[in-house]
């Protein structure tokens, strides 16, 4: 639950243009997902970090996180 809450909070901050707060909350969500080995939510956080970096025009960072999201989603779908 907390991973999703921090992820959603990060997205709210992104939509408000508060990128530092957005990144802080998304990184918190990622840390929790890592500790819980929650690959499903981790893939969503990667995707949202990629979207945040796109909005900041940090294209290399955005590409990195979006590719990690894609790779993880592919891995998850192969396991199911």
């Amino acid at each position: 639950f907390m991973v999703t809450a921090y992820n959603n909070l990060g997205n709210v901050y992104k939509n408000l243009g508060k990128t530092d707060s957005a990144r802080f909350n998304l990184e918190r969500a990622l840390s929790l997902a890592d500790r819980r080995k929650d690959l499903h939510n981790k893939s969503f956080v990667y995707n949202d970090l990629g979207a945040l970096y796109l909005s900041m025009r940090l294209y290399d960072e955005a590409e990195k996180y979006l590719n990690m999201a894609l790779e993880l989603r592919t891995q998850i779908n192969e396991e199911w």
Side-chain angles (χ1 to χ4, degrees), residues 7-26:
N7 192 61
N8 289 342
L9 191 55
N11 286 323
V12 168
Y13 279 119
K14 178 181 83 71
N15 292 337
L16 292 173
K18 297 184 177 197
T19 56
D20 288 339
S21 295
R23 185 176 5 205
F24 175 80
N25 283 283
L26 290 170

Side-chain angles (χ1 to χ4, degrees), residues 22-60:
R23 185 176 5 205
F24 175 80
N25 283 283
L26 290 170
E27 288 176 356
R28 231 169 148 182
L30 185 59
S31 176
L32 282 173
D34 274 338
R35 278 189 280 166
R36 295 180 178 165
K37 298 180 182 6
D38 182 351
L39 300 180
H40 179 76
N41 279 315
K42 186 175 178 179
S43 69
F44 289 123
V45 178
Y46 279 156
N47 188 76
D48 291 339
L49 278 164
L52 172 64
Y53 289 122
L54 270 177
S55 75
M56 297 168 68
R57 298 180 184 196
L58 298 172
Y59 300 116
D60 290 339

